[in-house]
């Protein structure tokens, strides 16, 4: 049975859908969608996207496009969506902004002096979700009958500083504030910033292996050794539960562990 926020014929757009949390959202949520709904999966890895597409529900249509979101323009993103769907055919649109990278972990903030490195990180992790979100809203904006849901996959790092994670923490904070402002400006759009907790993904492994701060690196190693991390299935099931409950203000940061 579809959750209320996913009822009706839905267009579901997911970035970073070639692996990890993005893939699991595609697989899990596709099973909740009304027959005839459609998924559009975006990421750089075409092979990863194919694997994700093979795992989603056969009751929905699925399309995917290999794209580097850090360099794609608004016009290019609009064209990708227009080639995939006719916005007038859907009752609901849900955009899941999951794309993200952890960034350089060997440097502390005083050493982060390369403008190009800053721009490269923010292009992918902050600017591309903001621009893509605008593109999606504009494509569906003329039809007031279409319900809109926006999900920003965030992190505890957006509100809690962690040593040697200056790029990641600042990027997550900036991205989350953008979606808070968007929610204030668009009360007709349901917005959630979901913090998935420590999930066993390539990103978690990278922090455990490469974090410049020894204490942080050790804490991640210990967590993985003790199997305290979450699976993608666990966090996505909790995500669906939070969406179903809707016991939060639109635009809020909600963590996997929050009791709401």
């Amino acid at each position: 049975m579809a959750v209320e926020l996913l009822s009706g014929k839905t267009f579901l757009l997911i970035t970073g859908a070639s692996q990890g949390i993005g893939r699991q959202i595609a697989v899990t949520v596709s099973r909740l969608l009304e027959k005839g709904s459609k998924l559009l999966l975006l990421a750089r890895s075409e092979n990863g996207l194919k694997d994700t597409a093979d795992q989603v529900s056969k009751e929905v249509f699925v399309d995917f496009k290999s794209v580097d979101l850090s360099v794609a323009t608004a016009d290019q993103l609009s064209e990708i969506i227009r080639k995939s769907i006719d916005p007038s055919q859907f009752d609901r649109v849900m955009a899941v902004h999951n794309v993200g990278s952890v960034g350089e972990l060997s440097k502390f903030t005083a050493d982060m002096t390369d403008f190009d490195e800053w721009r490269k990180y923010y292009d992918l992790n902050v600017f591309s979700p903001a621009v893509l979100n605008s593109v999606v809203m504009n494509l569906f904006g003329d039809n007031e009958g279409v319900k809109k849901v926006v999900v920003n996959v965030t992190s505890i790092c957006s509100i809690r500083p962690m040593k040697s994670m200056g790029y990641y923490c600042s990027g997550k904070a900036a991205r989350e504030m953008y979606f808070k402002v968007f929610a204030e400006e668009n009360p007709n759009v349901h917005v959630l910033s979901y913090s998935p907790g420590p999930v066993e993904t390539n990103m978690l492994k990278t922090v455990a292996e490469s974090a410049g701060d020894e204490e942080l690196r050790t804490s991640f190693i210990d967590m993985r050794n003790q199997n305290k991390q979450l699976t993608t299935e666990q966090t996505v099931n909790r995500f669906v539960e939070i969406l179903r409950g809707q016991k939060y203000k639109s635009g809020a940061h909600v963590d996997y562990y929050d009791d709401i």
Side-chain angles (χ1 to χ4, degrees), residues 152-200:
N152 168 42
V153 178
T154 186
S155 167
I156 190 67
C157 292
S158 67
I159 57 177
R160 181 184 299 171
M162 294 190 182
K163 295 178 183 178
S164 74
M165 296 187 72
Y167 289 113
Y168 187 72
C169 291
S170 65
K172 285 296 186 182
R175 176 165 156 171
E176 190 167 315
M177 182 52 70
Y178 161 80
F179 283 104
K180 287 182 183 293
V181 174
F182 173 79
E184 290 292 325
E185 293 174 343
N186 298 273
N188 61 320
V189 180
H190 190 94
V191 183
L192 168 64
S193 280
Y194 176 62
S195 177
V199 183
E200 183 58 26

Side-chain angles (χ1 to χ4, degrees), residues 243-258:
L243 274 182
R244 177 180 282 121
Q246 300 177 51
K247 296 178 180 179
Y248 53 88
K249 179 183 176 182
S250 180
H253 172 116
V254 182
D255 191 89
Y256 174 91
Y257 293 105
D258 286 346

Side-chain angles (χ1 to χ4, degrees), residues 92-250:
R92 189 176 302 269
V93 56
M94 181 176 182
V96 179
H97 301 283
N98 170 67
V99 70
S101 65
V102 70
E104 174 62 58
L105 294 171
S106 65
K107 295 180 180 178
F108 292 89
T109 51
D111 301 316
M112 294 160 55
T113 57
D114 189 332
F115 275 103
D116 288 337
E117 190 69 26
W118 275 107
R119 292 187 184 104
K120 180 180 177 181
Y121 188 80
Y122 270 62
D123 279 347
L124 175 64
N125 294 279
V126 181
F127 304 147
S128 76
V131 171
L132 178 58
N133 193 64
S134 297
V135 167
V136 173
M137 292 302 111
N138 288 333
L139 284 175
F140 285 86
D142 292 337
N143 190 341
E144 295 182 358
V146 176
K147 304 297 183 183
K148 303 176 184 68
V149 181
V150 171
V151 176
N152 168 42
V153 178
T154 186
S155 167
I156 190 67
C157 292
S158 67
I159 57 177
R160 181 184 299 171
M162 294 190 182
K163 295 178 183 178
S164 74
M165 296 187 72
Y167 289 113
Y168 187 72
C169 291
S170 65
K172 285 296 186 182
R175 176 165 156 171
E176 190 167 315
M177 182 52 70
Y178 161 80
F179 283 104
K180 287 182 183 293
V181 174
F182 173 79
E184 290 292 325
E185 293 174 343
N186 298 273
N188 61 320
V189 180
H190 190 94
V191 183
L192 168 64
S193 280
Y194 176 62
S195 177
V199 183
E200 183 58 26
T201 60
N202 289 336
M203 185 177 294
L204 192 77
K205 182 179 179 182
T206 298
V207 176
E209 294 176 347
S210 307
D213 182 67
E214 183 177 356
E215 182 179 358
L216 178 67
R217 189 173 65 253
T218 300
S219 69
F220 272 67
I221 291 172
D222 289 345
M223 176 177 58
R224 297 184 75 227
N225 287 340
Q226 297 170 31
N227 291 318
K228 291 184 177 180
Q229 73 272 37
L230 303 168
T231 65
T232 56
E233 291 89 347
Q234 284 177 303
T235 196
V236 173
N237 287 341
R238 176 60 174 152
F239 161 66
V240 170
E241 182 183 12
I242 289 168
L243 274 182
R244 177 180 282 121
Q246 300 177 51
K247 296 178 180 179
Y248 53 88
K249 179 183 176 182
S250 180

